[in-house]
Amino acid sequence: MNTKHAILLFSVMFLLIGCNQKKTGDNLDSLIERRIDSVMSKMSLEEKVGQMAQFTIDVIGKGGNLYRSDEPFEVDPAKLDTVIGKYKVGSILNTANNRARTIQVWETTIRTIQERAIQETGIPVLYGIDSNHGGSYTVGATLFPQAIGMAATFNLDLMKKGSQVSAYETRASNIPWTFNPTMDLGRDARWPRQWESYGEDAYLNAVMGNASVIGFQGDDINKIGDLNIAACVKHYMGYGVPVSGKDRTPAIIAENDLREKFFEPFRMTIVDGKAVSLMVNSGIINGVSTHADYRLLTVWLKEELNFDGVIVTDWADVQNLLSRDRIARDYKEAVKIAVNAGIDMVMEPYNLNFCPTLVELVNDGEVSKSRIDDAVRRVLRLKFRLGLFEKPYWSIDEYPDFGSEKHEAAAKAAADESITLLKNEDNILPLKQGVRILVTGPNANSMRTLNGGWSYSWQGEKVEEFAEQYNTILEAISNKFGEKNVRFAEGVSYNMAGQYFEENPPQIQQAVAAAAGVDYILLCVGENSYCETPGNLDELTLSENQTNLAKALVKTGKPVILVLNEGRPRLIREIEPDVKAVLQLYLPGNHGADALADILSGDVNPSGKLPYTYPKFEQSLLTYDHKPSQNIDGKMEGAYDYGAQTSVQYPFGFGLSYTTFEYSNLSVDNTDFVSGDILSVKVDVKNTGSVTGKEVVMLFSSDLVASITPDVRRLRKFLKIELQPGESKTVELKLPADDLAFVNEKGKWTLEEGEFKLQVGNLVSNVNCTKTKIWDTPNK
């Protein structure tokens, strides 16, 4: 009996006798573990190493070369024989030629791969893709707002629903694994992946990421069903705060912040959400390449959290240890460093020499067989959890709701709640029917800018080809207010064939002339699409052309409504005072323009809140949870003034509504507390306006005195509610006392005796911890 037939026989045996097995460890299923034992007992070293390898699909495509395939795409049997037959590779990723594919092409492609893998080894291939805001690489898939927009909803139910729809439509594409959600804290406005994050706050990232993981995976990680997929939380960790602001460059993070803010969202998604895989930060933290960091990968994750999932590299990051970070003499040493640090699967993605290199390292005794077995066990565990041994591929006919109206309606609802009203001078919004509107600006007539990167291609440059059935802002406004009432003149346009920041020669006077005879100017500005390193910038201020366009339109005397469609907050201080209204769209997806039109007309009441601090000056980048010394009112007495003051455009959590809300009767049931207590915080919220509205009730805390300087405030809980005009609700937020702990200078979680201020809306209540607790374990 060969290895393949032995694996298939034992898989069927265990499936028949073990339907209701007890679990071992925190999350492990005893049946799955015995099936893994059986499979691994029949595997050669070469087969085990193959399970740790992941290559991009162009490596097996017909024609072209390693980096590009012929169109229409087809798998090359000879190349597949090399990848699967010779090297026994266990995982493939990505889409061919950086282009979205139909579900029919996906089904044919993955069926071909799986049939060859089963024939060769009896072990199915694990296929992975980036489903960043829906089925990003599948034609006809539903696209939601990007993560930063989902964060702005402050709605965990919408976040979970979005990931459920994404899981369904990714699974419909025969792909069971997504490299999402992105858990990086977006604490630097310059960073080009800001829009892939849930903003600057650790708690918001944690709960949004947790909701996403559960939406992707479902409730039982050992039986991730046909409607769900495996999540991969990324990029572990500290990726979003490079000193330079540029992608994949080093970060310097205080040890206590590393544990308290950057690790905590990952901890929650692993411990509570049960994420089954994790991708590593491409950069460097405190001088150590994260892909080489045994402490962060093995000690913090596998030992402290008992993480039993797969740790996968990011794209080509083992090679980067050699060619970029220069911590390895050659490729062999780079592989050794990464695998011994705790990497389980290497996203190579082109170099097939990875497999013989790792085999050689094992045979030379430089990587232990136990380390290989641990990694392979994790990879096989994920494949069993996904049911791939029983069902390695499936029919698109099993997914009739792919791209359905109800899925599209969920994306539209998310876009509705993400858009954030930042200014509404003289209540200029909503607009009445019959008004005449000039729609202008480089983002006014583009689906590409509404979606951003990771949309049908990596940089989003192919969006117009695939999203023509949806409305641009111009089209949505014309539909809502009538074509005869809408004029269009771009004034400034992007060079769609160039880099994201390139613009064509401006035609500002055309836009100024078009403003004659209109009642309002809808100025749509921001950024063209980009992703990762190509999105790096040198200047955060809105482009000169767009700024000049705004100034010229303001001079017409017509009220200007500024629409921001951007992946990160571009500075607008030169034009913001002179416009009448400001709306932040972020990257709202295919339904973003319709959502904007509904908000402008008053059919939808805006309820989004900023998930980051909107900066005013590039040299005054600040997060809301800064230290007291970063923003001091008044001056020191004496000869020297060491005070600092920082001005921001809009604060974290800010967002206006067409109605007003009144907070009253704040109460806390346990004003004197100790570790382990639960504080019940209640507040009455009333809609005092004339229209129905949604309000995000946020609970902040401030540690008034601490042994190390505390953050000025921290978000601890929130709940989004809907109120009819005149309606009141009592909102209860349960706050575990241990959530008020911080990590001290020795790396220990600490809840100190003393006073804390709790704030909800404009109301404040002080509470008192009566006894200090310092945790002996690394995590609370």
Side-chain angles (χ1 to χ4, degrees):
M1 183 183 294
N2 62 27
T3 301
K4 172 192 69 176
H5 292 126
I7 290 171
L8 290 174
L9 176 60
F10 278 99
S11 293
V12 172
M13 287 174 52
F14 281 120
L15 185 63
L16 292 174
I17 67 175
C19 294
N20 296 297
Q21 298 297 310
K22 294 182 179 180
K23 293 182 178 180
T24 60
D26 291 339
N27 301 313
L28 302 184
D29 183 281
S30 60
L31 170 61
I32 289 178
E33 297 310 303
R34 290 204 303 276
R35 294 179 73 184
I36 294 171
D37 289 339
S38 174
V39 171
M40 290 184 65
S41 69
K42 311 298 186 297
M43 294 175 72
S44 66
L45 174 60
E46 287 74 15
E47 288 173 325
K48 289 179 179 179
V49 165
Q51 292 299 307
M52 298 173 64
Q54 184 182 61
F55 296 96
T56 190
I57 191 171
D58 282 313
V59 171
I60 58 172
K62 281 188 176 180
N65 51 45
L66 284 175
Y67 310 110
R68 186 166 184 82
S69 305
D70 288 345
E71 293 288 354
F73 177 79
E74 292 183 45
V75 173
D76 186 327
K79 293 180 180 179
L80 193 61
D81 279 344
T82 299
V83 172
I84 302 295
K86 181 178 180 179
Y87 293 113
K88 325 297 183 187
V89 168
S91 185
I92 304 291
L93 82 153
N94 212 6
T95 186
N97 295 336
N98 187 33
R99 170 177 290 275
R101 303 289 162 179
T102 65
I103 52 176
Q104 291 82 7
V105 169
W106 278 124
E107 180 180 347
T108 300
T109 299
I110 292 175
R111 181 188 292 265
T112 300
I113 295 169
Q114 296 290 29
E115 287 177 343
R116 184 66 181 90
I118 298 299
Q119 177 190 29
E120 182 66 32
T121 65
I123 302 173
V125 161
L126 178 60
Y127 206 104
I129 203 81
D130 288 279
S131 295
N132 281 50
H133 63 129
S136 305
Y137 282 137
T138 302
V139 178
T142 306
L143 296 188
F144 283 74
Q146 297 280 5
I148 196 68
M150 295 302 293
T153 71
F154 278 77
N155 188 325
L156 299 180
D157 291 334
L158 280 179
M159 184 70 255
K160 181 179 178 182
K161 180 64 176 178
S163 293
Q164 287 173 332
V165 171
S166 298
Y168 181 100
E169 298 194 356
T170 302
R171 195 85 179 202
S173 308
N174 266 261
I175 300 172
W177 187 25
T178 180
F179 305 123
N180 297 100
T182 299
M183 304 299 303
D184 307 301
L185 302 190
R187 295 172 69 82
D188 189 323
R190 301 169 299 170
W191 187 49
R193 304 190 76 168
Q194 171 86 3
W195 51 272
E196 294 184 57
S197 80
Y198 298 116
E200 69 185 40
D201 179 63
Y203 175 72
L204 180 59
N205 270 267
V207 294
M208 280 290 179
N210 207 46
S212 178
V213 168
I214 294 171
F216 280 132
Q217 295 184 171
D219 297 323
D220 185 351
I221 64 167
N222 288 305
K223 294 181 181 177
I224 299 175
D226 292 345
L227 305 183
N228 295 99
I229 57 178
C232 183
V233 292
K234 66 181 186 183
H235 306 82
Y236 178 80
M237 60 181 164
Y239 182 32
V241 288
V243 173
S244 68
K246 291 180 167 54
D247 186 45
R248 285 172 165 82
T249 57
I252 304 297
I253 305 173
E255 187 71 12
N256 61 320
D257 275 349
L258 193 64
R259 173 75 71 173
E260 181 179 337
K261 293 179 180 177
F262 294 89
F263 181 66
E264 189 62 14
F266 287 96
R267 187 202 64 80
M268 179 178 282
T269 56
I270 291 169
V271 174
D272 298 339
K274 312 296 183 186
V276 293
S277 64
L278 173 146
M279 184 183 291
V280 182
N281 167 18
S282 293
I284 297 168
I285 300 175
N286 300 336
V288 181
S289 300
T290 316
H291 279 77
D293 198 326
Y294 179 88
R295 182 183 70 129
L296 295 186
L297 300 182
T298 296
V299 177
W300 284 31
L301 285 174
K302 294 182 176 181
E303 295 177 4
E304 292 180 6
L305 297 187
N306 196 25
F307 176 58
D308 61 29
V310 174
I311 297 179
V312 61
T313 74
D314 204 341
W315 186 273
D317 275 330
V318 169
Q319 174 64 38
N320 282 336
L321 297 180
L322 165 66
S323 57
R324 184 195 65 190
D325 297 353
R326 303 182 187 179
I327 64 169
R329 288 183 298 271
D330 52 30
Y331 181 67
K332 181 178 180 181
E333 186 176 24
V335 173
K336 171 186 171 182
I337 290 170
V339 172
N340 283 338
I343 295 296
D344 302 311
M345 180 181 287
V346 174
M347 186 187 292
E348 180 33 51
Y350 299 108
N351 186 2
L352 292 172
N353 285 327
F354 166 77
C355 294
T357 298
L358 184 51
V359 169
E360 183 179 346
L361 284 165
V362 176
N363 288 333
D364 291 347
E366 296 187 65
V367 174
S368 69
K369 291 182 179 179
S370 62
R371 174 75 270 271
I372 299 297
D373 285 347
D374 172 64
V376 174
R377 174 172 288 274
R378 291 167 181 271
V379 174
L380 293 177
R381 182 181 293 132
L382 181 50
K383 294 182 179 185
F384 276 116
R385 284 171 163 170
L386 286 164
L388 294 179
F389 278 84
E390 292 73 46
K391 193 176 181 181
Y393 51 84
W394 41 89
S395 170
I396 58 177
D397 295 335
E398 298 176 41
Y399 296 88
D401 285 329
F402 174 85
S404 64
E405 289 185 5
K406 67 180 181 180
H407 285 183
E408 298 281 357
K412 169 60 164 58
D416 286 344
E417 293 199 26
S418 70
I419 294 175
T420 307
L421 179 61
L422 298 174
K423 184 178 182 180
N424 193 18
E425 188 175 301
D426 301 325
N427 292 320
I428 193 173
L429 300 179
L431 302 177
K432 296 178 180 180
Q433 286 295 326
V435 298
R436 296 163 298 176
I437 305 170
L438 169 63
V439 180
T440 182
N443 296 61
N445 197 30
S446 168
M447 291 305 303
R448 173 178 175 177
T449 60
L450 290 174
N451 280 284
W454 296 119
S455 303
Y456 308 109
S457 68
W458 179 39
Q459 296 295 315
E461 79 284 357
K462 297 182 176 70
V463 170
E464 308 298 342
E465 176 183 345
F466 294 102
E468 61 182 0
Q469 68 270 37
Y470 299 100
N471 291 321
T472 66
I473 293 175
L474 172 64
E475 292 164 342
I477 298 302
S478 296
N479 291 341
K480 179 64 68 172
F481 292 94
E483 287 189 25
K484 62 182 176 54
N485 295 319
V486 176
R487 294 182 182 178
F488 173 60
E490 263 185 319
V492 174
S493 61
Y494 298 118
N495 175 10
M496 291 299 186
Q499 299 184 70
Y500 82 94
F501 53 82
E502 292 181 12
E503 296 171 349
N504 297 314
Q507 297 179 316
I508 292 174
Q509 288 308 309
Q510 282 190 4
V512 170
V518 303
D519 301 307
Y520 299 95
I521 298 171
L522 191 69
L523 174 57
C524 307
V525 301
E527 297 181 310
N528 201 359
S529 70
Y530 57 83
C531 188
E532 301 188 56
T533 302
N536 284 342
L537 53 64
D538 294 317
E539 172 58 59
L540 191 57
T541 300
L542 191 67
S543 79
E544 182 179 4
N545 286 338
Q546 295 184 52
T547 300
N548 289 340
L549 175 63
K551 290 178 177 179
L553 291 171
V554 165
K555 288 180 180 179
T556 67
K558 302 297 175 65
V560 175
I561 300 164
L562 185 66
V563 174
L564 302 172
N565 172 204
E566 55 191 7
R568 58 197 152 196
R570 304 301 291 263
L571 304 185
I572 56 172
R573 69 178 182 276
E574 291 187 31
I575 60 176
E576 193 272 350
D578 297 318
V579 301
K580 292 294 185 180
V582 180
L583 294 115
Q584 174 62 284
L585 267 61
Y586 313 99
L587 302 175
N590 281 331
H591 296 279
D594 292 326
L596 172 64
D598 283 343
I599 286 173
L600 290 172
S601 68
D603 292 338
V604 169
N605 190 352
S607 63
K609 304 290 184 182
L610 279 178
Y612 52 67
T613 302
Y614 203 117
K616 197 170 188 177
F617 301 94
E618 192 154 10
Q619 300 308 315
S620 295
L621 301 182
L622 192 74
T623 56
Y624 86 98
D625 54 350
H626 58 268
K627 300 301 182 184
S629 61
Q630 291 176 273
N631 196 13
I632 298 175
D633 292 329
K635 296 184 177 182
M636 294 173 59
E637 294 183 358
Y640 299 103
D641 175 17
Y642 294 126
Q645 289 185 316
T646 305
S647 178
V648 302
Q649 193 72 62
Y650 304 108
F652 170 85
F654 180 73
L656 300 172
S657 170
Y658 292 154
T659 191
T660 52
F661 299 96
E662 180 180 274
Y663 288 74
S664 62
N665 301 321
L666 177 64
S667 65
V668 184
D669 71 336
N670 198 358
T671 55
D672 292 314
F673 64 89
V674 295
S675 174
D677 286 347
I678 304 293
L679 283 64
S680 173
V681 181
K682 294 182 179 180
V683 67
D684 293 338
V685 184
K686 182 179 181 179
N687 182 344
T688 55
S690 59
V691 295
T692 300
K694 296 178 180 178
E695 172 72 341
V696 182
V697 182
M698 302 183 195
L699 171 61
F700 291 91
S701 73
S702 299
D703 193 344
L704 299 185
V705 178
S707 56
I708 62 173
T709 187
D711 298 329
V712 295
R713 66 201 307 244
R714 293 288 296 277
L715 178 67
R716 298 303 184 184
K717 297 289 176 182
F718 64 83
L719 180 67
K720 194 166 195 175
I721 60 172
E722 183 174 32
L723 295 173
Q724 303 298 315
E727 182 183 6
S728 295
K729 283 184 181 178
T730 299
V731 175
E732 181 181 21
L733 300 170
K734 291 187 175 294
L735 175 65
D738 292 346
D739 284 1
L740 299 174
F742 63 90
V743 175
N744 67 17
E745 75 282 3
K746 297 178 181 178
K748 298 287 187 180
W749 280 100
T750 306
L751 178 62
E752 287 186 337
E753 178 181 342
E755 198 170 14
F756 293 81
K757 179 175 73 175
L758 302 183
Q759 181 175 4
V760 183
N762 58 343
L763 305 177
V764 171
S765 179
N766 283 17
V767 295
N768 183 54
C769 177
T770 60
K771 185 178 180 180
T772 295
K773 176 175 180 178
I774 301 176
W775 277 257
D776 293 327
T777 55
N779 300 291
K780 292 181 291 181

Coordinates of all heavy atoms in Angstrom, one line a residue, residues 491-522:
G491 N -12.2 69.1 -13.3 CA -11.3 70.1 -12.8 C -9.9 69.6 -12.6 O -8.9 70.1 -13.0
V492 N -9.8 68.4 -11.9 CA -8.6 67.7 -11.6 C -8.9 66.2 -11.9 O -9.9 65.7 -11.5 CB -8.0 67.9 -10.2 CG1 -6.8 67.0 -10.0 CG2 -7.7 69.4 -10.0
S493 N -7.9 65.5 -12.5 CA -8.1 64.1 -12.8 C -6.8 63.4 -12.5 O -5.7 63.9 -12.6 CB -8.6 63.9 -14.2 OG -7.6 64.3 -15.2
Y494 N -6.9 62.1 -12.2 CA -5.8 61.2 -12.0 C -5.3 60.7 -13.3 O -6.0 60.4 -14.3 CB -6.1 60.0 -11.1 CG -6.6 60.4 -9.7 CD1 -7.9 60.1 -9.3 CD2 -5.7 61.1 -8.9 CE1 -8.3 60.5 -8.0 CE2 -6.1 61.5 -7.6 CZ -7.4 61.1 -7.2 OH -7.8 61.5 -5.9
N495 N -4.0 60.4 -13.4 CA -3.4 59.7 -14.5 C -3.5 58.2 -14.2 O -2.7 57.6 -13.5 CB -1.9 60.1 -14.7 CG -1.2 59.2 -15.7 OD1 -1.9 58.5 -16.5 ND2 0.1 59.3 -15.8
M496 N -4.6 57.6 -14.7 CA -4.9 56.2 -14.4 C -3.9 55.2 -14.9 O -3.9 54.1 -14.4 CB -6.3 55.9 -14.9 CG -7.4 56.6 -14.2 SD -7.5 56.2 -12.4 CE -9.0 57.1 -11.9
A497 N -3.0 55.6 -15.7 CA -2.0 54.7 -16.2 C -0.7 54.9 -15.5 O 0.3 54.1 -15.7 CB -1.7 54.9 -17.7
G498 N -0.6 55.9 -14.5 CA 0.6 56.1 -13.8 C 0.6 55.7 -12.4 O -0.3 54.8 -12.0
Q499 N 1.4 56.2 -11.6 CA 1.4 55.9 -10.1 C 0.2 56.6 -9.5 O -0.3 57.6 -10.0 CB 2.7 56.4 -9.5 CG 4.0 55.7 -10.1 CD 5.2 56.1 -9.3 OE1 5.4 55.7 -8.2 NE2 6.1 56.8 -10.0
Y500 N -0.2 56.1 -8.3 CA -1.4 56.5 -7.7 C -1.5 58.0 -7.5 O -2.6 58.6 -7.5 CB -1.7 55.8 -6.4 CG -1.0 56.4 -5.2 CD1 -1.6 57.4 -4.4 CD2 0.4 56.1 -4.9 CE1 -0.9 58.0 -3.3 CE2 1.0 56.7 -3.9 CZ 0.4 57.6 -3.1 OH 1.0 58.2 -2.0
F501 N -0.4 58.7 -7.3 CA -0.4 60.1 -6.9 C -0.3 61.0 -8.2 O -0.3 62.2 -8.1 CB 0.8 60.4 -6.0 CG 2.1 59.9 -6.5 CD1 2.9 60.7 -7.4 CD2 2.7 58.8 -6.0 CE1 4.1 60.2 -7.9 CE2 3.9 58.3 -6.5 CZ 4.6 59.0 -7.4
E502 N -0.1 60.4 -9.3 CA 0.1 61.2 -10.5 C -1.3 61.8 -11.0 O -2.3 61.1 -11.1 CB 0.7 60.4 -11.7 CG 2.2 60.0 -11.4 CD 2.8 59.2 -12.5 OE1 2.2 59.1 -13.6 OE2 3.8 58.6 -12.3
E503 N -1.2 63.0 -11.4 CA -2.4 63.7 -11.9 C -2.2 64.3 -13.3 O -1.0 64.7 -13.6 CB -2.9 64.8 -10.9 CG -3.3 64.2 -9.6 CD -3.6 65.3 -8.5 OE1 -3.2 66.5 -8.7 OE2 -4.1 64.9 -7.4
N504 N -3.2 64.4 -14.0 CA -3.1 65.1 -15.3 C -3.1 66.6 -15.2 O -3.4 67.1 -14.1 CB -4.3 64.7 -16.2 CG -4.4 63.2 -16.5 OD1 -3.3 62.6 -16.8 ND2 -5.5 62.6 -16.3
P505 N -2.7 67.3 -16.2 CA -2.7 68.8 -16.1 C -4.1 69.3 -15.7 O -5.1 68.8 -16.3 CB -2.4 69.3 -17.5 CG -1.5 68.2 -18.0 CD -2.1 66.9 -17.5
P506 N -4.3 70.1 -14.7 CA -5.6 70.5 -14.2 C -6.3 71.4 -15.1 O -5.8 72.1 -16.0 CB -5.3 71.2 -12.9 CG -3.9 71.8 -13.1 CD -3.2 70.7 -13.9
Q507 N -7.7 71.3 -15.0 CA -8.6 72.2 -15.8 C -9.5 72.8 -14.8 O -10.8 72.7 -14.9 CB -9.3 71.3 -16.9 CG -8.4 70.7 -17.9 CD -9.1 69.8 -18.9 OE1 -10.0 69.1 -18.6 NE2 -8.7 70.0 -20.2
I508 N -8.9 73.6 -13.9 CA -9.7 74.2 -12.8 C -10.7 75.2 -13.3 O -11.9 75.2 -12.8 CB -8.7 74.8 -11.8 CG1 -7.9 73.7 -11.1 CG2 -9.5 75.7 -10.8 CD1 -6.9 74.2 -10.2
Q509 N -10.4 76.0 -14.4 CA -11.3 77.0 -14.8 C -12.6 76.4 -15.5 O -13.6 77.0 -15.4 CB -10.6 77.9 -15.8 CG -9.6 78.8 -15.2 CD -10.2 79.6 -14.0 OE1 -11.3 80.2 -14.1 NE2 -9.5 79.6 -12.9
Q510 N -12.5 75.2 -16.0 CA -13.6 74.5 -16.5 C -14.6 74.2 -15.4 O -15.8 74.4 -15.5 CB -13.3 73.2 -17.2 CG -12.7 73.3 -18.6 CD -12.6 72.0 -19.3 OE1 -13.0 70.9 -18.8 NE2 -12.0 72.0 -20.5
A511 N -14.1 73.8 -14.3 CA -15.0 73.5 -13.1 C -15.6 74.8 -12.6 O -16.7 74.8 -12.2 CB -14.2 72.8 -12.0
V512 N -14.8 75.9 -12.5 CA -15.3 77.1 -12.0 C -16.4 77.6 -12.9 O -17.4 78.1 -12.5 CB -14.1 78.2 -12.0 CG1 -14.7 79.6 -11.7 CG2 -13.1 77.8 -10.9
A513 N -16.2 77.5 -14.2 CA -17.2 78.0 -15.2 C -18.5 77.1 -15.0 O -19.6 77.7 -15.1 CB -16.7 77.9 -16.6
A514 N -18.3 75.8 -14.8 CA -19.5 75.0 -14.6 C -20.3 75.3 -13.4 O -21.5 74.9 -13.3 CB -19.1 73.5 -14.6
A515 N -19.7 76.0 -12.4 CA -20.4 76.3 -11.2 C -21.4 77.4 -11.4 O -22.3 77.6 -10.5 CB -19.4 76.7 -10.1
A516 N -21.4 78.1 -12.5 CA -22.4 79.2 -12.7 C -23.7 78.5 -12.9 O -23.9 77.6 -13.6 CB -22.0 79.9 -14.0
G517 N -24.7 79.0 -12.1 CA -26.1 78.6 -12.2 C -26.4 77.4 -11.4 O -27.6 76.9 -11.4
V518 N -25.5 76.9 -10.6 CA -25.8 75.8 -9.6 C -26.0 76.3 -8.2 O -25.6 77.5 -7.9 CB -24.7 74.7 -9.6 CG1 -24.5 74.1 -11.0 CG2 -23.4 75.2 -9.0
D519 N -26.6 75.5 -7.4 CA -26.9 75.9 -6.0 C -25.8 75.4 -5.1 O -25.5 76.1 -4.1 CB -28.2 75.4 -5.6 CG -29.4 75.9 -6.4 OD1 -29.5 77.1 -6.6 OD2 -30.2 75.0 -6.9
Y520 N -25.2 74.2 -5.4 CA -24.2 73.6 -4.5 C -23.1 73.0 -5.4 O -23.4 72.6 -6.5 CB -24.9 72.5 -3.6 CG -25.9 73.0 -2.7 CD1 -27.3 72.9 -3.1 CD2 -25.6 73.6 -1.5 CE1 -28.3 73.4 -2.3 CE2 -26.6 74.0 -0.6 CZ -28.0 73.9 -1.0 OH -29.0 74.3 -0.2
I521 N -22.0 73.0 -4.8 CA -20.8 72.3 -5.4 C -20.4 71.1 -4.6 O -20.2 71.2 -3.4 CB -19.6 73.2 -5.5 CG1 -20.0 74.4 -6.4 CG2 -18.4 72.5 -6.1 CD1 -18.9 75.5 -6.4
L522 N -20.5 69.9 -5.2 CA -20.1 68.7 -4.5 C -18.7 68.3 -5.0 O -18.5 67.9 -6.1 CB -21.0 67.5 -4.8 CG -20.9 66.2 -4.0 CD1 -21.3 66.5 -2.6 CD2 -21.7 65.1 -4.6

